[in-house]
Amino acid sequence: MSNLTTGSFSIEDLESVQITINNIVGAAKEAADEKAKDLGPLGPSTWPGLATYRDDWNLKLLARYEPVITPMCDQCCYCTYGPCDLSNNKRGACGIDMLGHNGREFFLRVITGTACHAAHGRHLLDHLIEVFGEDLPLKLGQSDVLTPNITITTGQRPMTLGEIKPAMEFTEEQLTQLLATVHAGQESAEIDYDSKALFSGSLDHVGMEISDIVQIAALDFPKADPEAPLIEMGVGTIDKEKPFLCVIGHNVGGVTYMMDYMEEHDLTDKMELGGLCCTAIDLTRYKEADRRAPYTKVIGSMSQELKIIRTGLPDVIVVDEQCVRGDIVPEAQKLGIPVIASNAKIMYGLPSRDDQDVDATIEELKSGAIPGAVILDYDKLGEIAVRLTQVMHPIRQAAGFRTIASDEQMKEWVDKCADCGSCYLVCPEELEIPEAMKHAKEGDYSYLVDLHDQCIGCRRCEQVCKKEIPILSVIEKASQKVIAEEKGWMRAGRGQVSDAEIRSEGLNLVMGTTPGIIAIIGCPNYGDGAKSVYYIAEEFLKRNYIVVGTGCGSMDMGMYKDENGQTLYERFPGGFQSGGLVNIGSCVSNAHITGAAQKVAAIFGGRTMGGNLAEIADYVLNRVGACGLAWGAFSQKAASIGTGCNIYGIPAVLGPHSSKYRRALIAKNYDDEKWKVYDARNGEEMAIPPAPEFLLITAETWQEAIPMMAKACIRPSDNSMGRSIKLTHWMELHAKYIGGMPDDWWKFIRTEADLPLAKRADLMKKLEEEKGWEIDWKRKKIISGPKIKFDVSAQPTNLKRLCKEA
Amino acid sequence: MVDTTKNTKLFTSYGVTTSKAINPDMAAKMISKAKRPLLVVGTGVLRPEILDRAVKIAKKANIPIAATGSSLNGFLDKDVDAKYINVHQLGFYLTDPAWPGLDGKGNYDTIIVLEFKKYYINQVLSGTRNFSKVKSISIGKDYVQNATMSFGTISREEHFVALDELIDLL
Ligand code: SF4
Ligand code: SF4
Ligand code: SF4
């Protein structure tokens, strides 16, 4: 092994020998370590491995937030000893039990998500270094803390693209270590899979952070800009007379070449470029740092992929990576839409045309000789995608591919329904299709229209329909009018929360006077329709919570309007402030949400960041009222994003489908032993209220999710005004959406000042009568009763090592 | 001829164990036999025809209600013992023998579940099925595999009738 880092060296007495060195393994990290010497104080956990956070933090978290396992099936079939029946927690032939195996299953989802983001980051990093060079500075907005997740994990503070490489390499190395533990006969304890999942979650936020900061810096995205431009959104905004290039996926790399080509050839007003899923969000951020007039559009979330294809409008589809449906090619082919695969992660079995001349490829795709092609060369991709769209438009128009089914056709389909119920049985959303068909037969299509918002466009129903009714097309045809009205606005993803914003909101958040941060993130597999996230966001915005969003959640929040025709993005400011609606960006921008909480701990709380995960997370868990909502989480990435929030002490509520992830983290709110922390001033135990009650849980309806989230924003450190404000919101929301008073509201009361102001006297009476608390009515004071005490200068912590006398 | 069809027991599990499909009479018997029963309802219970029947079941068999999701509003003026709890949380607490229950009197031995999306309750019940002794009886209109016993999948109209029969037998 050589001890070389970067730099030059000479070897004497050698002649005519050429030595080529591409990369010295570990050199980047060593060079970075060298530099780290000037970074100031570091915590105990720089460059963590599988065991680093386990005893110091993860097991403490898991002791309160216990893993709740809900297996998908009885079986394990990982190795050829099996399949093994693990029901009732039996052990398989290798010795692993049901709990352990399902911990492994959940963990596998988390590392898959982590790998997706890390690989995305690697692709962008290499690509952007190739184009812009290693020295491109990370200009991300007005912040000193540029890379909170990287810094907490590695101790590094990269300032250029090149300086990110060690953190990238490190993430990849740890992912290999993590993946290895899935093998049969490796880890078998459920709790250790949880600890490893949490570690993977922290790495996921490193991978996401890398992905987003390199694109913000190199592609001129908005840089922590609260007034990033509003972007037109929804299929209704597409001008049907123009050629339409539709891009799907998550990686904006290739799309920037299409945009450059359009701009160079003056085509921005002559054709439509719109996207689905996160590529859509990121293409509307490209070159928007100076808030130029946007021309690209966000069409919608992942669940719209098939629906958009079925409209026939796209003239060309380009896919890149992640959350792209597996049936895009056959579906597109039926409507004469060529598909270009632009990322090696999804090639669909299509022929590669990187080595062929551009004109020849356009000719070939135009002729329909091939249904699509793989084109990884971005220069070619940019030109082909744009030119082909223009070529295909008149051809497809003439062929009638851009018009949807006629009324007669529709009637014929609907009349065929035999009311067999097969579609209902397989529909993942359990939509009452047979009932809607029955009404449609009688000429009432309104029931079909009702299905449109809830339908995720999965096509499972069509595959079981013995009458071969194209059910999705039937729903979409019936909903034509609604779809034409699908026009909204979304603020372009603004990137990080700036240090200045943290400074001005930090105190309010820690004291509780800004009642909380509500993070609406993730995918569109909602249990109750896309509009639910709009209702949730509106409720919290009206109550001055800070609502941050990313990904498909950010889109769906902007798709609906109030009675004045305004979307939430038009009604609420885009800053990280009380009552602000902050679209952070795409899925990878989720790293800036944990980043914001981490920065409250670092900037506001004065905690060391570098290599100090446990202490930062401990601060967030005890003091920063934040709760995530992944209402439609379907993907493995959503599991890793949520788990990354969890290790940092941020709880998340998921939609009902997410029970299928198999593992939640829920605390026993009735076990007083779980609700104690240390006071860092002297190491004494102090009782805290049972909040947050969970780190990962599902809710059945959006109405249920709202009070759960409001309650999950309560933190031990709230001052009395903060506690009173938080309780006011939670109790009002509980009354509004659940009904009546919550049973456990009194558990959060330390003094009379904690009580919601408007109801103080009433509630004191209840405390006296129902709980036997002693009240001094003259002074309007609680004399005795509360189990928890209020001490304005207490320093709640779960880490004994931080206590002075410990 | 040798009967070669009589033993088709699988030598290993593929997929999931399925619940025993039952009629209303069996459901009524199980409910009556339970020592600590709990009626667990989802938000779908707010459909008036179902709400009315759920109240009748609770009253006739004298069973407390865990009103999960956002269903509690339907029971507030109905003179039944209904309390809100999140169903995922409930599923977890049911696996803990030390859970004091919704009334402080201890955990339950039998839960009767009604009006959930089937995928959701099925997933919650996979936890209680594998990690507790609690019996679960699904009386919704969809067959729920992970319950101990369940109605099969029936139409809405049949479901109303089945619930009425059940109520009569309590
Ligand atoms: S990994 Fe273990 S439990 Fe799974 S199939 Fe193999 S022997 Fe059975
Ligand atoms: S396409 Fe829509 S209606 Fe059909 S099964 Fe999927 S979600 Fe249900
Ligand atoms: S599967 Fe087809 S025939 Fe059967 S109810 Fe559904 S739409 Fe009708």
Side-chain angles (χ1 to χ4, degrees), chain A residues 416-424 433-434 437 461 464-469 471:
Chain A
K416 278 203 292 189
C417 173
D419 194 21
C420 70
S422 303
C423 50
Y424 167 74
I433 308 160
M437 288 283 186
C461 51
V464 299
C465 180
K466 294 238 162 58
K467 298 286 176 185
E468 294 182 0
I469 302 171
I471 300 171

Side-chain angles (χ1 to χ4, degrees), chain A residues 427-429 431 433 455-461 472 475:
Chain A
C427 173
E429 306 302 329
L431 300 182
I433 308 160
C455 164
I456 54 162
C458 72
R459 226 182 73 83
R460 244 153 74 165
C461 51
L472 177 59
I475 295 172

